[in-house]
Amino acid sequence: MLINLISIWKEGILPDAVYENKANEIKKPLVIQSSFQFETPPRVIFVKSMKAKDEVTHYGDLPTVELQPLEQEVYNQTLTQLRNNPNFYNGKQMLLTGAVYDTDNNTLYLEAVRVDYVFLASLEKMKQVKAQGSALHCQDFFKTGVLAPFVSKDNKVSIITRKDKWNLRSVAAGFLECSNDSHPLNNLITETAEKEADEEFLFDHNQQRRLDFAGPPTLSSISFRDAIGMGITPTIEFVVPIQIKHDADFILSVMNNNEAPDAHEHVPGSAVNVPLDSNERETASRFMRQKLPGSFLYGPVLHSCAIQANPGMPIAHRIAEVPESRFYPMGIFKPTLRKALKDCSETQEVDLRGSKKICK
């Protein structure tokens, strides 16, 4: 069965979460987040079209987005502004326009378009001009990246403060990015996780790792996020934990005494450990109850890593301390639901509430 995750997010989870928060008279800026947890890491296939499922193996084969003249003008203005920064780098990145999960084959199909960093930086402004014939209003666009937490051998995750205007707490993270048009896409998500981990925390001055991996990075969940009413493009992120051979205190010392190229992105000495074991749930809850900035980032990370660290443990759909977030196992779409669905000629999509079905 093919599950359109974007439709579930947009038409089921997101409106329910917004309604719930309005009913509770929550008036602060609202960031809604929801994750789907994979039972085993899925095969990831990038495609040009979700309907045709035509696989794209290299970055340069992804389609582009045609801009209208007014949009191109906004893009050019942003490019001029960003070029004034001596560290400006216009990387080869992407936007996701589709995400469909095949429950039978444990395969995640990602429909994407290739863009550069300037396109991402100017996207909201380009949408605001509302140019006639614009492709930017014809489909959903999601910025996309990875969250790559380090999981210690004693089952803890280290969370650090980012040096941004919000002081968000997070882990190694970054947009999906390719080095050139011939860059292969088959392992891009886990490859990006490893790259961000090295550049943000692990490399020393000689580009040697200061921590040893216990295994390759693994894709554990897909997370959707939207900042309601702020005019910000929504985001799809992939949680990709990296098992580390060392204990949590040693990982903490490396992160708090950072020698990596991108160490400047984090507040020195701000990393803390959060336990994952079920018998230390109260300690983790105390961390969550602080409601530190960035709960929509570290919440999905801790939830996903806790599930991996406690196999067989019942999965909570909500974390009390992060009311705007929801979590679901991919197993919710297994064959037990098929009886409630009629056959569709192409893609079957199911609303999480079970109230409707959308067939395309």
Side-chain angles (χ1 to χ4, degrees):
M1 183 167 62
L2 301 177
I3 307 299
N4 189 321
L5 299 176
I6 290 179
S7 288
I8 290 172
W9 161 248
K10 279 190 61 183
E11 300 170 24
I13 299 171
L14 186 59
D16 273 2
V18 172
Y19 176 81
E20 176 183 293
N21 281 276
K22 284 183 177 179
N24 293 332
E25 297 183 347
I26 297 177
K27 298 179 180 180
K28 65 179 181 180
L30 188 60
V31 179
I32 302 295
Q33 180 277 328
S34 184
S35 296
F36 297 94
Q37 182 83 16
F38 298 106
E39 293 180 348
T40 57
R43 180 188 180 198
V44 178
I45 297 178
F46 285 89
V47 298
K48 293 181 181 180
S49 164
M50 199 60 74
K51 184 175 181 179
K53 303 259 186 327
D54 43 354
E55 183 175 0
V56 177
T57 56
H58 295 87
Y59 178 80
D61 296 325
L62 288 173
T64 58
V65 181
E66 183 178 351
L67 296 179
Q68 298 299 315
L70 286 176
E71 296 166 341
Q72 187 66 53
E73 184 177 334
V74 172
Y75 173 94
N76 293 339
Q77 291 172 351
T78 305
L79 176 59
T80 300
Q81 293 170 358
L82 292 177
R83 276 179 173 163
N84 292 328
N85 187 328
N87 297 318
F88 170 64
Y89 170 67
N90 198 16
K92 295 180 178 293
Q93 301 184 356
M94 65 177 64
L95 289 165
L96 294 185
T97 55
V100 168
Y101 180 62
D102 184 340
T103 61
D104 295 326
N105 300 309
N106 190 30
T107 299
L108 180 64
Y109 294 96
L110 299 176
E111 183 184 82
V113 294
R114 57 188 167 101
V115 299
D116 56 19
Y117 176 77
V118 174
F119 191 106
L120 295 183
S122 57
L123 180 55
E124 280 82 23
K125 290 182 180 179
M126 290 192 295
K127 284 184 176 182
Q128 289 173 7
V129 303
K130 297 181 179 179
Q132 185 175 1
S134 171
L136 299 180
H137 300 281
C138 295
Q139 62 186 138
D140 298 312
F141 289 95
F142 291 80
K143 293 181 180 179
T144 183
V146 300
L147 296 164
F150 302 144
V151 181
S152 67
K153 68 178 184 180
D154 50 344
N155 272 345
K156 295 180 182 179
V157 171
S158 298
I159 307 292
I160 197 167
T161 303
R162 301 191 69 85
K163 194 180 291 184
D164 54 32
K165 61 182 179 181
W166 303 284
N167 289 323
L168 300 178
R169 271 63 169 186
S170 186
V171 295
F175 289 129
L176 290 184
E177 181 178 281
C178 294
S179 55
N180 52 54
D181 284 353
S182 60
H183 196 126
L185 299 176
N186 56 326
N187 294 312
L188 181 61
I189 293 174
T190 52
E191 177 186 288
T192 301
E194 187 168 332
K195 173 177 174 288
E196 294 297 333
D198 286 337
E199 293 179 353
E200 291 190 37
F201 298 111
L202 300 188
F203 278 167
D204 61 17
H205 297 302
N206 297 315
Q207 304 292 292
Q208 298 297 313
R209 280 187 183 152
R210 300 171 66 197
L211 296 174
D212 298 320
F213 288 10
T218 57
L219 173 55
S220 64
S221 67
I222 179 172
S223 172
F224 293 77
R225 184 173 77 249
D226 197 3
I228 305 303
M230 298 178 65
I232 298 176
T233 301
T235 300
I236 292 176
E237 287 174 313
F238 302 95
V239 180
V240 186
I242 301 175
Q243 301 289 330
I244 302 294
K245 290 182 178 180
H246 312 280
D247 63 32
D249 288 339
F250 185 73
I251 296 173
L252 211 62
S253 68
V254 169
M255 293 177 68
N256 281 328
N257 298 278
N258 199 343
E259 300 178 9
D262 293 340
H264 61 276
E265 296 180 1
H266 309 280
V267 177
S270 66
V272 297
N273 288 326
V274 182
L276 301 175
D277 287 341
S278 58
N279 60 0
E280 293 191 76
R281 186 173 298 174
E282 178 53 34
T283 302
S285 294
R286 283 200 299 271
F287 173 82
M288 300 295 285
R289 283 196 293 269
Q290 297 178 73
K291 299 186 183 299
L292 300 171
S295 61
F296 52 83
L297 295 173
Y298 63 75
V301 162
L302 293 175
H303 189 273
S304 185
C305 291
I307 291 171
Q308 284 194 337
N310 300 278
M313 181 181 70
I315 299 174
H317 295 325
R318 308 289 287 272
I319 298 177
E321 296 83 5
V322 189
E324 297 87 8
S325 292
R326 303 183 182 190
F327 307 91
Y328 303 95
M330 280 295 187
I332 198 171
F333 303 116
K334 283 295 181 71
T336 53
L337 287 182
R338 293 188 183 183
K339 294 180 180 179
L341 297 172
K342 296 180 181 179
D343 291 334
C344 291
S345 57
E346 294 179 12
T347 301
Q348 293 182 341
E349 307 169 7
V350 60
D351 181 279
L352 274 177
R353 296 166 296 177
S355 61
K356 62 181 179 179
K357 177 189 65 174
I358 303 167
C359 299
K360 293 184 179 180

